[in-house]
Amino acid sequence: MSARAETRAAPTATRVAPAGIGARLRAWREQHMFSLVSSLGRFFQRPFATLLTVGVMAMAIALPLGLGVGLGNLQRLSGSLQASREIGLFLRVDIDAAQAERFATELRARRDVAAVEIRTPAEGLAEFRKLSGLGEAAAMLGDNPLPTVLRVTPLADGAALAQQMRVRPEVELVQHDEGWRRRLDAWLGFGENLVLVLAGVLGLGVLLVVGNTIRLDIGN
């Protein structure tokens, strides 16, 4: 009987009701306020060390961001340069307007050509007078010495198209600068990989600095 009485008299565990949303918000606010006041107190105790740590983290974060912004500007510039990748076809002087139009129609029918623009000798002479300021000297030439020019815009890489145009009997000169564009693309690809590597290394450095600072603070 005494054992039963002791068993009945033993205290039972009480279940604590979970805190409401208001209590949780108050606890969250109090913890953050305590962290803020504590951080400010440690900052004023060791201002130089804190500023040095913050400066290292800021430099580590700002450097890849600045490189990324610069690389983005170069890529936009490269896009505008790639958009102006026309091939200039200077036709022979004896090619008249009808022959130039037939040649342009033939080029427009190709699948690797996006557009073809005809620049007549008269338009070329007018542009030369406007840009050079030698209108009086050009008027003394008599006959127009400029040939008809076709500005061809390829759909993709125009190196193969430019090579094919060099053997056409209608074409006197082909103007196409593809080598420097390829070198620019190669440098932009190298810059993008460099930015990614620096961002990863500096990001790891920021994590190590933060972790070491927290470890030293806990040890102190």
Side-chain angles (χ1 to χ4, degrees):
M1 293 295 293
S2 60
R4 293 180 180 179
E6 291 178 358
T7 303
R8 293 176 181 177
T12 59
T14 59
R15 180 176 298 178
V16 179
I21 186 65
R24 293 181 181 180
L25 289 176
R26 285 193 299 271
W28 177 83
R29 184 177 66 251
E30 291 174 358
Q31 290 175 0
H32 281 73
M33 290 297 297
F34 174 78
S35 299
L36 176 62
V37 174
S38 177
S39 300
L40 291 176
R42 287 193 295 270
F43 171 75
F44 288 110
Q45 289 177 0
R46 298 184 299 273
F48 178 75
T50 304
L51 290 177
L52 184 62
T53 302
V54 173
V56 170
M57 294 173 57
M59 289 295 296
I61 295 175
L63 183 59
L65 290 178
L67 292 176
V69 171
L71 183 62
N73 293 331
L74 288 178
Q75 287 177 344
R76 284 191 291 271
L77 176 62
S78 173
S80 62
L81 293 176
Q82 291 289 346
S84 59
R85 61 184 185 275
E86 293 90 356
I87 301 173
L89 303 180
F90 294 82
L91 305 184
R92 296 200 323 266
V93 181
D94 57 346
I95 299 296
D96 56 14
Q99 293 174 335
E101 184 63 35
R102 286 195 298 268
F103 187 34
T105 303
E106 178 185 350
L107 292 177
R108 293 189 184 99
R110 294 175 61 104
R111 295 182 178 180
D112 55 350
V113 173
V116 177
E117 180 184 356
I118 300 178
R119 181 65 60 87
T120 62
E123 294 175 350
L125 183 59
E127 183 178 1
F128 173 76
R129 290 175 177 174
K130 180 179 179 181
L131 297 179
S132 64
L134 301 176
E136 297 179 357
M140 297 173 59
L141 294 176
D143 295 336
N144 190 349
L146 298 179
T148 303
V149 180
L150 300 184
R151 299 179 61 180
V152 182
T153 304
L155 287 176
D157 187 7
L161 179 61
Q163 188 64 29
Q164 295 175 9
M165 292 298 103
R166 287 187 175 95
V167 299
R168 291 297 297 262
E170 302 92 343
V171 179
E172 181 72 23
L173 176 66
V174 177
Q175 185 180 13
H176 180 59
D177 300 327
E178 186 67 23
W180 68 272
R181 293 191 182 96
R182 293 180 179 177
R183 289 191 294 269
L184 178 61
D185 291 338
W187 278 107
L188 288 177
F190 172 75
E192 185 175 358
N193 294 331
L194 180 62
V195 169
L196 292 177
V197 172
L198 286 178
V201 173
L202 294 176
L204 180 61
V206 169
L207 293 178
L208 293 178
V209 169
V210 173
N212 185 62
T213 304
I214 294 174
R215 183 182 64 82
L216 292 177
D217 191 37
I218 293 175
N220 292 332

